[in-house]
Amino acid sequence: MDSSLPILSLSAAAVASAAAVFPKLQARLALSRAKQRSLSGHSKMSKMVARLVPHYEFDIDDFFRSDGAPADVATQRQDAFFRLARLYEERYAKGRKMTADAATHISDLQFTENYRVPFQYSRLVRENLGTGAFMQSSAGVTVTDVDGNVFYDLTGSYGVNIFGNDFYKECITEAEKRARTLGPVLGPYHPVITDNVRRLCEISGLDEVSFHMSGTEAVMQAVRLARYHTKRSHLVRFAGAYHGWWGDVQPGVGNPVSPHETYTLADMSERTLHVLRTRRDIACVLVNPLQALHPNANAPGDSALIDSSRKGNFDRAAYGEWLKKLREVCTERGIVLIFDEVFVGFRLGAGGAQEYFGVRADMVTYGKSLAGGLPVGVVCGRKDLMRRFRDDRPADVCFARGTFNSHPYVMTAMDEFLSRLASPNFNAVYQGLDETWNGRAEALNARLATNDLPVQVSNLSSIWMVQYTEPSRYNWMLQYYLRAEGLALSWVGTGRLIFSLNYTEADFTEVADRFVAAAENMKRDGWWWHDASLTNKNIKRQILKEMLAKRFGR
């Protein structure tokens, strides 16, 4: 009988160990299930896959028939490509030369020029359809390049340009006059900062403000403060969302070091809410409201446009309901809810995304347009979250400073911006804003459908994305036809069309005419040829075969 005691003891120990481990396994399983199933939700896997993708490029023959098009269509495309190349060479000669010369010393240009299209096509496109990176003037809703070509501006200055280039030029000009007396004296505050802080607290509905040099810095500080006050380690971001290039908010491809305290979860998911309710290590949740246009998908760019599966579908009511659920869970669990409005702030409404969706965050970050066109980052937050030290532990601080924080010229430009924003006459620009831009998108989509063009647009107010309705490997070519029609795009191409709010109906009609003309020319030139065998799935399979053949030397 005594011999059975060790066995019983071991059994009891095994049961106790299993009981201790089981909750951890359950939590880990719940976390895994809350991740978005694509690579955008699995940062480590995405980096592993990225390392395995081999470089290869098409020669002159395969370039034009990589989708299996017949020889006559490939010849049609080739003729059109080099015809377009001649137009680019004649029209943009000075700008292209300046860009090529500058790219030898500007690493940013080297990156953007290489990643405008899928890498298999990049070399031939760079050599023949190189674009100019230099503009010399702006007026109204147009910009003029160094060759004198006038474009309708759809770049939005990466989101800065909400009210039009002339508006920001006025803000900067007036700001310079007001800041001139003090000049670039750093450290002391310009008196105008008190008005800026008051207005920012009113707009955000929060208690305190801190100034930074960029949106990325503002997000860094918001996360740091959340961790400091909650005494928790992890942040939650949603699959595909962009919050700047700081490591902890950019896991996966593009970050050499994988962060260990970041959870990338699925947007608009009950499983995500379950994780937030049950884990004890989550300090904050970051929300970029722009993701409402394409939840769980990365920021769209033509360099990743390998087929026609890119989609966007903004549902204001559904996303607003999701944010309300998120707000409830964060309140319940003491998690800091951070709205990253660096991109959309003041574009959707004078009160930003908080006002637009009817949800209050614990902290909000702003940037871009807020300083009247000058660089800035701002954190607004609850009083208890913004404090950077503890009264009872004087050495326990949460440090953040910057040489150019609260620069006099930036602060006076911010005051110019906020003063105009507060004007009743100016504020009227937001009345019927969604109706205006939704109506314009619907009108353009109707024209595209009537003309039997495989293109549609989706939008979040004045932020648009182009999507494609028939399978193709060549959708990225549309950006070059659009530029030839005098539409200025950012380097990501048709993934982001950002309108300033000063576009009149006449301005928009001109853009729509040019957009339709570009799509018609592209269709005429054979780029959207397809037969029954060409599907998005088959295109992806073909690309996988190409990669395997390159990898294994076949």
Side-chain angles (χ1 to χ4, degrees):
M1 187 167 180
D2 290 342
S3 62
S4 65
L5 289 177
I7 297 174
L8 290 173
S9 298
L10 289 172
S11 300
V15 170
S17 299
V21 170
F22 187 67
K24 294 181 180 179
L25 291 175
Q26 277 190 317
R28 184 63 200 176
L29 178 61
L31 182 63
S32 297
R33 295 178 68 194
K35 294 182 178 181
Q36 216 275 330
R37 293 185 179 180
S38 71
L39 285 177
S40 63
H42 294 78
S43 57
K44 292 181 180 178
M45 189 179 297
S46 69
K47 290 183 69 171
M48 180 185 70
V49 171
R51 286 192 292 268
L52 293 174
V53 174
H55 177 267
Y56 64 97
E57 59 187 35
F58 295 127
D59 60 23
I60 191 71
D61 295 320
D62 291 338
F63 184 101
F64 298 103
R65 56 186 309 175
S66 59
D67 57 352
D72 61 325
V73 173
T75 300
Q76 181 184 11
R77 291 170 174 172
Q78 183 169 330
D79 291 344
F81 182 87
F82 287 106
R83 185 168 62 248
L84 194 61
R86 288 191 296 273
L87 183 149
Y88 269 58
E89 185 177 6
E90 295 167 2
R91 190 179 292 177
Y92 313 127
K94 183 178 179 181
R96 290 177 67 179
K97 185 179 186 309
M98 290 177 66
T99 302
D101 291 344
T104 60
H105 299 289
I106 301 177
S107 57
D108 288 350
L109 272 180
Q110 295 168 26
F111 181 82
T112 56
E113 291 300 304
N114 275 275
Y115 285 89
R116 291 183 186 274
V117 304
F119 66 84
Q120 299 95 330
Y121 309 89
S122 181
R123 181 182 59 81
L124 198 61
V125 170
R126 292 197 313 273
E127 292 174 355
N128 293 277
L129 296 178
T131 57
F134 292 87
M135 293 288 174
Q136 65 181 0
S137 65
S138 65
V141 295
T142 65
V143 291
T144 302
D145 70 10
V146 293
D147 289 280
N149 300 295
V150 179
F151 299 82
Y152 280 88
D153 186 5
L154 304 183
T155 70
S157 296
Y158 296 105
V160 170
N161 186 2
I162 300 174
F163 302 118
N165 289 310
D166 294 335
F167 169 89
Y168 293 100
K169 285 192 280 188
E170 291 172 7
C171 286
I172 293 172
T173 298
E174 294 303 312
E176 192 276 333
K177 293 177 184 177
R178 297 171 61 189
R180 188 182 302 161
T181 302
L182 180 60
V185 175
L186 305 179
Y189 288 147
H190 190 286
V192 77
I193 202 171
T194 58
D195 287 334
N196 290 341
V197 169
R198 174 181 56 80
R199 291 195 187 102
L200 286 168
C201 288
E202 290 172 355
I203 289 168
S204 67
L206 296 164
D207 306 314
E208 294 185 8
V209 175
S210 67
F211 296 103
H212 304 273
M213 292 179 281
S214 69
T216 292
E217 276 197 10
V219 171
M220 291 171 67
Q221 176 63 355
V223 171
R224 175 180 282 195
L225 284 167
R227 286 170 164 164
Y228 178 68
H229 288 289
T230 62
K231 300 182 180 66
R232 301 172 189 170
S233 56
H234 283 65
L235 69 88
V236 166
R237 62 183 290 275
F238 294 115
Y242 182 72
H243 298 283
W245 53 265
W246 171 45
D248 277 21
V249 295
Q250 192 208 17
V253 178
N255 185 355
V257 180
S258 295
H260 300 290
E261 297 181 334
T262 302
Y263 295 138
T264 299
L265 305 184
D267 216 346
M268 303 183 75
S269 167
E270 289 295 328
R271 290 176 173 175
T272 290
L273 297 180
H274 173 75
V275 167
L276 295 176
R277 286 192 184 99
T278 54
R279 296 194 71 90
R280 299 179 180 180
D281 56 353
I282 298 173
C284 59
V285 173
L286 276 168
V287 173
N288 182 343
L290 181 58
Q291 287 302 111
L293 179 58
H294 42 76
N296 297 307
N298 291 328
D302 283 358
S303 63
L305 198 53
I306 61 171
D307 62 7
S308 298
S309 57
R310 182 168 80 190
K311 293 290 183 290
N313 181 29
F314 173 55
D315 186 331
R316 180 176 178 177
Y319 202 76
E321 186 60 31
W322 157 250
L323 291 178
K324 289 172 184 173
K325 291 181 180 178
L326 199 58
R327 172 70 279 175
E328 290 174 3
V329 173
C330 287
T331 300
E332 172 190 332
R333 298 295 297 166
I335 298 169
V336 179
L337 179 60
I338 303 171
F339 276 14
D340 177 0
E341 297 205 43
V342 171
F343 194 98
V344 301
F346 310 104
R347 180 173 288 274
L348 304 179
Q354 290 190 105
E355 174 190 301
Y356 187 77
F357 289 108
V359 177
R360 284 290 176 190
D362 300 307
M363 304 179 86
V364 182
T365 60
Y366 300 110
K368 297 185 182 291
S369 64
L370 178 58
L374 296 180
V376 74
V378 173
V379 180
C380 298
R382 291 185 349 223
K383 188 176 186 66
D384 59 308
L385 293 173
M386 297 294 285
R387 194 169 179 82
R388 301 182 187 181
F389 58 93
R390 305 186 195 283
D391 291 328
D392 58 338
R393 281 172 282 173
D396 186 359
V397 299
C398 183
F399 186 80
R401 285 297 299 162
T403 302
F404 295 103
N405 292 2
S406 309
H407 192 291
Y409 288 86
V410 174
M411 289 299 107
T412 50
M414 184 184 296
D415 183 64
E416 292 290 334
F417 175 90
L418 291 172
S419 295
R420 286 165 169 76
L421 190 69
S423 166
N425 291 336
F426 187 85
N427 205 262
V429 72
Y430 293 112
Q431 294 177 11
L433 193 63
D434 270 4
E435 290 78 2
T436 295
W437 288 101
N438 291 346
R440 289 172 174 176
E442 290 168 6
L444 179 55
N445 281 335
R447 289 185 62 182
L448 294 166
T450 298
N451 290 12
D452 194 28
L453 297 167
V455 185
Q456 293 279 278
V457 297
S458 53
N459 72 297
L460 169 57
S461 192
S462 57
I463 304 169
W464 291 27
M465 181 179 76
V466 178
Q467 54 199 48
Y468 301 87
T469 59
E470 294 178 1
S472 174
R473 288 190 74 168
Y474 294 99
N475 292 324
W476 48 265
M477 271 297 297
L478 181 58
Q479 64 181 301
Y480 296 98
Y481 282 88
L482 292 172
R483 290 186 176 102
E485 291 296 326
L487 301 181
L489 310 178
S490 68
W491 72 276
V492 299
T494 63
R496 281 276 186 273
L497 309 181
I498 308 173
F499 293 87
S500 52
L501 303 188
N502 61 325
Y503 264 84
T504 65
E505 285 301 323
D507 294 327
F508 180 78
T509 298
E510 186 64 32
V511 169
D513 289 345
R514 296 180 184 211
F515 192 101
V516 172
E520 287 178 333
N521 291 339
M522 182 163 166
K523 182 178 180 180
R524 178 204 64 206
D525 290 340
W527 297 102
W528 281 319
W529 168 89
H530 72 281
D531 63 12
S533 67
L534 192 68
T535 66
N536 288 331
K537 182 180 288 187
N538 286 343
I539 288 173
K540 291 174 182 176
R541 286 176 176 171
Q542 176 60 31
I543 294 172
L544 180 60
K545 289 179 182 178
E546 293 167 3
M547 291 181 179
L548 291 174
K550 176 64 178 178
R551 173 63 64 185
F552 297 106
R554 295 179 181 175

